[in-house]
Amino acid sequence: MIKKLVMLLTLILSVNINAQQNYDPVVVLELFTSQGCSSCPSADKLLNKIKEKYKKQNVYVLSYHVDYWNRLGWKDPFSSSKYSDYQRKYAKRFDIRSIYTPQLVVNGSEHFTGSNRYKTDSALEKYSKTKASTMIAIKNVRKEGSAISFDYNIKGEQFDNLTLALVVSDRTTNISKGENRSRTLKNTNIVANRLVRKENFGKVSITIADWVREQDELSIIAYTQGKALKITGAIQIML
């Protein structure tokens, strides 16, 4: 009983102090990818390397698995039409005619092929020097049945959208069909669900996707965006 109480107090404490501090610079990398795309594995590997290299810094990576490759023989188990629609918003923001994979969007401000190490490193250096304009705090995180509930609060300048993403740290999949047939792919920080809010504070509940396993390492990545989808602040809470 004492051990359980200590663990509970540790969880509450870590959630309350692990908040974005002093408008420090943040870098958010959103990779639009698919297990059905033969060009995507190299971008997936690069994203994982960045995650490991910058895990103690304010660099947050997300894998949004799109669904438009599913028709080519392999249905990506992590894919969602919602993420394809989100990518289309970026296409409109960047004034490009079509969406593509692997596409890496950095701080909602620029995009390029997700396997391009040179452009990725340049973007990391560039945005690591830009102060955030919002601060995000998340607390009272709890699991309620098949959902994760928590409270959030945002300080600073006005924003247009707050994205709240539930992510799975990593997953390895054996591909039996499609362009990546007979390959074993590793994906990192896979978005398992995504909510969007506009209020400065509130209480939310994110449903856990049915493909998530009990042993998966979960976290919440939250980030604010302006009207042009530019990211203005971010935080990650490990669950």
Side-chain angles (χ1 to χ4, degrees):
M1 182 65 183
I2 295 177
K3 183 177 180 181
K4 290 182 179 179
L5 180 59
V6 171
M7 291 176 64
L8 177 60
L9 290 173
T10 301
L11 173 62
I12 294 173
L13 179 60
S14 64
V15 167
N16 279 313
I17 67 173
N18 193 8
Q20 189 184 343
Q21 300 292 326
N22 302 320
Y23 300 99
D24 290 335
V26 298
V27 185
V28 177
L29 298 95
E30 300 170 285
L31 177 65
F32 292 92
T33 185
S34 171
Q35 292 183 345
C37 161
S38 62
S39 301
C40 288
S42 56
D44 297 325
K45 289 180 181 178
L46 178 56
L47 195 73
N48 186 63
K49 288 180 180 178
I50 293 168
K51 173 187 172 183
E52 293 302 315
K53 181 177 180 179
Y54 295 94
K55 60 184 176 182
K56 294 185 179 180
Q57 301 179 43
N58 295 331
V59 175
Y60 310 113
V61 307
L62 304 98
S63 294
Y64 282 104
H65 287 240
V66 297
D67 70 335
Y68 48 84
W69 283 96
N70 290 351
R71 65 184 183 275
L72 298 182
W74 175 260
K75 183 177 180 180
D76 189 328
F78 314 132
S79 65
S80 171
S81 61
K82 294 191 302 181
Y83 308 150
S84 301
D85 290 340
Y86 178 39
Q87 189 183 22
R88 291 185 183 96
K89 291 183 179 181
Y90 272 128
K92 184 176 181 181
R93 180 255 188 271
F94 294 124
D95 194 24
I96 56 177
R97 292 186 176 181
S98 60
I99 53 180
Y100 66 94
T101 55
Q103 181 188 32
L104 187 65
V105 179
V106 185
N107 273 25
S109 299
E110 63 179 278
H111 73 100
F112 44 83
T113 302
S115 55
N116 192 317
R117 183 60 188 257
Y118 175 77
K119 288 188 176 181
T120 302
D121 287 343
S122 297
L124 283 163
E125 182 178 2
K126 175 182 177 180
Y127 294 105
S128 64
K129 299 175 182 178
T130 305
K131 284 275 190 178
S133 62
T134 63
M135 287 198 302
I136 306 169
I138 292 177
K139 60 182 181 179
N140 299 327
V141 181
R142 55 208 176 274
K143 185 176 184 296
E144 298 178 341
S146 60
I148 303 293
S149 300
F150 56 88
D151 304 324
Y152 73 87
N153 185 277
I154 303 171
K155 297 180 180 179
E157 295 182 7
Q158 188 58 42
F159 61 92
D160 190 56
N161 291 320
L162 167 68
T163 288
L164 301 161
L166 176 67
V167 304
V168 172
S169 179
D170 60 74
R171 185 72 73 82
T172 300
T173 308
N174 296 318
I175 310 299
S176 60
K177 299 179 181 178
E179 291 192 356
N180 289 312
R181 182 175 61 250
S182 301
R183 300 183 68 175
T184 299
L185 305 182
K186 180 179 180 179
N187 298 112
T188 189
N189 276 18
I190 309 159
V191 178
N193 205 347
R194 174 179 182 265
L195 298 179
V196 177
R197 294 290 183 267
K198 293 183 176 294
E199 298 79 17
N200 287 67
F201 62 91
K203 183 177 295 186
V204 298
S205 179
I206 300 182
T207 301
I208 301 171
D210 56 11
W211 55 262
V212 176
R213 301 168 182 166
E214 187 174 345
Q215 65 268 31
D216 285 332
E217 182 180 304
L218 302 177
S219 65
I220 296 166
I221 297 179
Y223 52 98
T224 52
Q225 294 172 287
K227 290 186 177 180
L229 298 180
K230 178 181 178 181
I231 291 175
T232 56
I235 188 175
Q236 181 170 13
I237 299 295
M238 306 305 295
L239 302 179

